[in-house]
Every structure is written in structure tokens, then in C-alpha cells.
Amino acid sequence: MTAAAFLDLPPLLRVAGTVRLPGSKSISNRVLLLAGLSAGRTRIHDLLDSDDTRVMLDALRALGCTLERDGDALAVTGLGARLAVHEARLFLGNAGTAMRPLTAALALLVATQGGRFELGGVARMHERPIADLIEALRPLGCDITCLGTEGYPPLRLQGPTVLQLAAPIKVRGDVSSQFLTALLMALPLVAGERELLVEVQGELISKPYIEITLALLARFGIAVRRDDWRRFVIPQGSRYRSPDDVHVEGDASSASYFIAAGAIAATAEPLRIEGAGSASIQGDIRFVEAARAMGADIVLEPNAVLVRRGAWPLTAITLDCNHIPDAAMTLAAMALYADGTTRLTNIASWRVKETDRIAAMATELRKFGALVVEGSDFIEVTPPLQWRAAAIHTYDDHRMAMCASLAAFNALAGSAGAPVPIASRPGVPVPAGSRAGVPVRVLDPRCVGKTFPDYFAALFAIAEAAPESIPVLALDGPTASGKGTLGSMLAERLGYHHLDSGALYRATALAALRAGVDVGDEARVATLARGLPLRFDQQRALLGDVDVTDALREEAVGSAASQIAALPAVRQALVELQLSFRRLPGLVADGRDMGSVIFPAATLKVFLTASAATRAERRHKQLISKGISTSIDALRADLEARDARDQNRSIAPLKPTAQARLLDNSALSIEASVEQVLAWWQTVRPFSES
């Protein structure tokens, strides 16, 4: 998952290949709680690793459950419906699938066994209503106190109290199905002496999520009887029993983004999405029906979806989305590519999710130029007549971020796939290749960690863009000017790949030294460079299977690298390798000729100008800290000799290009240097957040 505060997506042109979905959030958190309430040990396979599941795991640990790895599975030893601790504070982030069921389960357990628990989360969780669940539990005798605003978390649950279970238990179904799910999962804990009846008031929304709940309850030994979505009966004597092993399906809601991408941009071959298919118990698999209605060509397998572009442009639709409330957000993004106005109705639940999704979607789609009409329970989207580059707020909502990414296919928008006009911010040149589209900035992309931490990596693995449209930040400068450290930090801040071209030359020099090859033998060194088995793994450099990270920093290797960098055949041998680093979503490249030779059309060029004296002092401190004895004078002389060699070589002499921004970092901290370059970066990008 990227740690960047924003992520810039260049115009995307096509998708192809295979995506493997992460485990379903809805299934993962339900299974975790059911395993925690059951007696015995449950092995959970393919569990989603995300923010929402992590807060549920933390809660189970706090309640006394034992969690341990068992091969590729997570083993949960449950409580057997008996509290192991009677007092705890649980932080549940912004996970409704943790807050609602845990509230119901703990309210009933403390009522019968005694205890005191406080449940809270992030600020947005404290804005998400839970009154309907509280109002269903309090008449049973549960002691629930809202510690802030009435009807909202944080909550305090305490007991014991006397439960009143003879009358039907009433719960509203027209705000969120999670309230009914919470009751259905909690009531078996107190159904020993009588069957319990739950009556739904109002129209039950999101019925497919209740189907998931019922199916999983059955796996754990609870056979709930249902009467037309109005009445649910928990059998007398219900008791949770571990099924020993449970496999979590791939997330069907997450599949919707790739189904949409395939419908828009899988023009050569189908995009294959693995982990959910026709055998899925998740209601959001029915997103396939909506995508087909918009023109997607889809084949369903039991555990996979194959999708490619069918009708183009997509067909505008009007759809009641009660059955796919989460996945319906993806339809709003697909509507940007339709032949008219798409209307999505019965989506009032959007307003009580991670953010007010109707308002958020309307606000953000308008930034692209779309015409959007919103109502209390509907949204209408008409595609842009003129696309605009835009910075999209995500409101700490994972689905907003993933939907926003689909706008990066705007190069394909328009009748019969012809590009539509684009606009950029006044005073900022439209990027190269932009006749085919505009870039999209996703603010706070880290929010996808709630359900799909690797979403953007998965998207970039199957998406393609014109190489010239992939942004490059070129960072050049003399030896020991801090290019590598600055480049690495900039790449992390931008969520981009990092090319340390000096490492390529140092690795070639190291290979030559170890092979006994004279570093002045141009032909033999070039041959070594062409076959260089160098790869990078989590900031470690490996030459073949040997970790050479530290060896590349040795003075002898650096000196040899400077010599071979002056050899034309060696430089040419390494050009293609350096160019191959230009991959989605972008690249920070540092070296001595990144902006002049390798990436002459780089989006931004920066040249570091620290003096040899300053660089010698820095290098001296580094070496002394490693226990290596040296003198500043010797280091300065060596650096000046390298500078002269680099500046006077016949091929690509070291000097700033006319377009380069000069950065004298002699007196700047690395943090200050990063901020300066990022400030320059903003001036060359075509985004406005308004």
C-alpha cells in the first residue's frame, strides 16, 4: 500500500491479464466474530488483511480469544459464548462490520454475565448512526450508554441486567442491514431456553448482505428460519459450533472496479478476475448484471469473472441499486463513459457509510466536468463534454478512492472511443500525450487499506499507459550530492518507482572488479553490463543471489563506477535497463544524465549543486560513522577529480539542462530538500483541488 499523501494516475489506455481478489471484508469480519464466539478452534483461510479486519482482530485479542498462524491460515480459539474478560475498551476504527455486531454481542453477554465495555472509533465512526440497533437492544434489558451524541458511538455497555426475550425483537431495516446482521449474530448467545423472533420494520435494504450472514451462521451451526425478509427465527437451544475450517471468498465488491475497468478498456482480450464468481454467496456479484446492462461482455465461472469491452460507449441505465449498495458506487464511475444520463436509485444507505457517499460522489465527479444531480436516495450522472484534470478528495473512504481511479481511463471516453476535449489548469502546459486524456490525482490513496491495501498495485499490474504519459521526476547532480537519499524519499512521497542509476553503474563496476575485468576495458565491461543480473528487493540490491547493498557503497566501487560511466558502450548497454524503470504510476530517477539523456522529456528536472567541500564533509561523516578512517582533504580531492571527469566526458557531460531547477542543498536538510522539490512538482502538474 502506498504511503503517499496523493497519487497521480496518468491516462490509462487498456487493461489485460489476471487479478486475484483479496478476501471479502463482509465475510472476513463475520467469520472472525463467529469464530471468536464459538467454542473450539477455527482455521480461517484467505482472510482479508486490511484496516477493518485488523481492528476486529485487535478486539478479539482484547476479549481473550487466542489468535495464531497455522500455515497459511489464521487459527482462532473462541470464547464458547463465555466472557474471558469483563472490562475493556475497544477501538474499532471506521469498521461498521466490527462496531455493529460487537455492540450487539457484548451487550447481550454483559447482560447475562456482567461486565463493562466501551466501544469507539475514529471521528467518522462517531458520526455513523447506531440508534436503530440500540433501540432494538434496550427493550431487551441491555444497558447501553452513548458517551457522546445520543444514537451514535462511542458506547458503554454494562451489566448484569435481566433480559426480556419473550416479545418479538423489532429492528428497522431501511437504514442499514448491519443492524439486523448484528442481532442475528448475537441472539444465538441467549437462545438456550426459547426460540427468538426478530421482526424487521420498514423495507429491508441490502438483502444480499443478510444472505451472507445467514449462510455463515449456518456454517457455524445456527439454522435461522426466514419469513419473506420480515421475520427471522433463532431456534431454541442454538449454540455456536466451529466448522474447523472456513475459506473466505474473494471480495465481490472489490471485483466491481476491475469489472468496470474491463468493460471500459479490455479491448484486446478479456480481463480475468479470480476469487469470486457464479458460486459466490456475496450479493455484490450481481454487479455483473448491471455491468452487462451497460454493455460489458462478461463470462462467469464458479470462482472467476472474465470481462471485456462490449458496447461502446457504455449504455446509460436507470437502476434500483438496493441489492448492490456498495458496488453501485462503481456504476457512478462507469457512467462517465456512457452514452447519456445514468440514474441510480434506492441508495439512501450511501449517506451513512464511511462518508456521505452521494454528496461526495456528486462533488468529485463534477470536477471532471460531469453533470451530476443528487437526491436523498438517488444520483444522476451525465458524462463530461470536456474532461478536466482533477484532484479527487476521498474522504477517508476506500470506495471513493477506487472509483476515482476509473476516471483515469478518460482517454477512451467519447463516441466510438474517440477522445473528447480536455482542459488543464490555466498556465500549466498539458502533458505530453495528453491529446488522449488527462491525469487524475487521488488524494489520500492510503484509505484503500480499509479493504484492499494493494488495490493500486493490482490496477497497475493490469493497466497500460503510453510511456510518454507516465510522469518522470529526473534528479541529477555530482557524486555525493545526496541524489540517492533524496530520490528515494521523493519516490516514497509520490508513490512512484525509484531508479538509482548510480546503483546500476556501481553494480557493473562491482561485477567487473569481482570478475577481474579491467574497468578500462570498454568491450568487456559493456558485455557485463548487458547481462547484469541485478534486482532490487525492498531497498536491498542483489547481484544474482548475493546481497551487494553495502558493497555498492564502497569507495573503490564508487571510483570504478565513475570511470566506467565515461565509456560509451557501457552507457548504451545500461540505457534500455534504465528506460524499463518507467512504469505506472511514475518514476523518480536519479543520476548524472537522467534529465539530459535518459529522460529528456521528464516532467520535472532538478539539478543538485552542493559544493565539493560540502559533499566531502557529508561523506566523511558517513564513513566515520561506519568506522572507516579517512580524511576530508582526500575525499574532497577525489570528488573534485570525479567532477572533472564527469563534466568533461565526451558523452553526456554532467551539467544541468536548460529546463532544470537548480537546488543548492549545501545548507538544506534532506526534509527541506524534499519539500522544495515537491513544491516544484506541484507547479508542473495540471491539477486544481477546487
Side-chain angles (χ1 to χ4, degrees), residues 44 155 221 240 270 348 379 418 470 549 624 638:
I44 305 173
L155 308 174
Y240 281 121
I379 191 169
I470 299 175
T549 307
I624 292 299
D638 180 62

Side-chain angles (χ1 to χ4, degrees), residues 160-478:
T161 62
V162 178
L163 288 180
Q164 306 292 330
L165 301 173
I169 300 157
K170 301 182 185 298
V171 62
R172 284 182 60 183
D174 56 354
V175 175
S176 173
S177 66
Q178 288 183 6
F179 302 142
L180 175 58
T181 279
L183 288 173
L184 294 176
M185 294 175 68
L187 288 170
L189 298 170
V190 293
E193 298 180 1
R194 68 176 72 231
E195 70 176 21
L196 303 178
L197 174 62
V198 180
E199 293 184 348
V200 178
Q201 298 180 313
E203 181 186 1
L204 178 62
I205 65 172
S206 308
K207 296 180 182 70
Y209 285 98
I210 300 303
E211 291 182 322
I212 294 174
T213 301
L214 297 177
L216 293 176
L217 284 169
R219 289 279 286 129
F220 282 83
I222 310 297
V224 177
R225 301 197 305 274
R226 174 174 66 84
D227 179 10
D228 193 29
W229 302 109
R230 294 289 183 184
R231 295 160 57 90
F232 297 81
V233 178
I234 313 297
Q236 178 182 353
S238 292
R239 183 173 62 86
Y240 281 121
R241 297 188 298 275
S242 170
D244 297 328
D245 286 89
V246 178
H247 291 263
V248 178
E249 294 179 8
D251 194 275
S253 301
S254 296
S256 71
Y257 310 109
F258 295 101
I259 293 171
I264 295 165
T267 54
E269 60 186 49
L271 177 66
R272 183 176 178 85
I273 305 157
E274 296 182 343
S278 59
S280 174
I281 66 171
Q282 299 169 76
D284 273 356
I285 197 65
R286 292 185 62 189
F287 178 83
V288 164
E289 300 168 9
R292 281 174 173 156
M294 294 191 77
D297 181 356
I298 297 175
V299 175
L300 272 179
E301 296 180 357
N303 198 43
V305 182
L306 285 74
V307 58
R308 67 192 308 164
R309 181 193 284 184
W312 192 258
L314 296 176
T315 303
I317 61 172
T318 295
L319 184 68
D320 181 330
C321 298
N322 179 277
H323 60 299
I324 52 168
D326 285 345
M329 290 182 70
T330 312
L331 297 176
M334 291 177 70
L336 297 172
Y337 303 95
D339 57 4
T341 299
T342 293
R343 179 180 172 89
L344 308 177
T345 66
N346 211 352
I347 55 171
S349 64
W350 284 20
R351 293 199 182 273
V352 295
K353 295 288 187 175
E354 283 78 350
T355 188
D356 180 339
R357 287 174 170 170
I358 294 180
M361 188 65 75
T363 298
E364 303 309 315
L365 294 185
R366 288 179 184 128
K367 292 180 180 178
F368 296 121
L371 176 63
V372 184
V373 178
E374 62 171 296
S376 61
D377 68 345
F378 74 88
I379 191 169
E380 293 180 352
V381 181
T382 304
L385 293 176
Q386 183 181 53
W387 277 83
R388 296 190 293 265
I392 301 303
H393 286 280
T394 52
Y395 307 86
D396 196 26
D397 187 335
H398 54 132
R399 301 205 186 282
M400 286 295 299
M402 292 185 273
C403 285
S405 71
L406 296 173
F409 292 99
N410 62 78
L412 307 175
S415 177
V420 297
I422 60 172
S424 65
R425 199 172 72 196
V428 178
V430 176
S434 59
R435 284 189 306 135
V438 293
V440 173
R441 172 168 288 178
V442 180
L443 300 171
D444 189 22
R446 294 166 290 192
C447 65
V448 300
K450 182 177 176 68
T451 54
F452 199 160
D454 296 326
Y455 171 76
F456 286 105
L459 176 64
F460 299 145
I462 54 97
E464 297 178 32
E468 64 272 14
S469 75
I470 299 175
V472 175
L473 195 165
L475 192 63
D476 288 308

Side-chain angles (χ1 to χ4, degrees), residues 68-79:
E68 55 191 350
R69 300 304 308 182
D70 186 350
D72 294 333
L74 176 72
V76 179
T77 302
L79 303 175

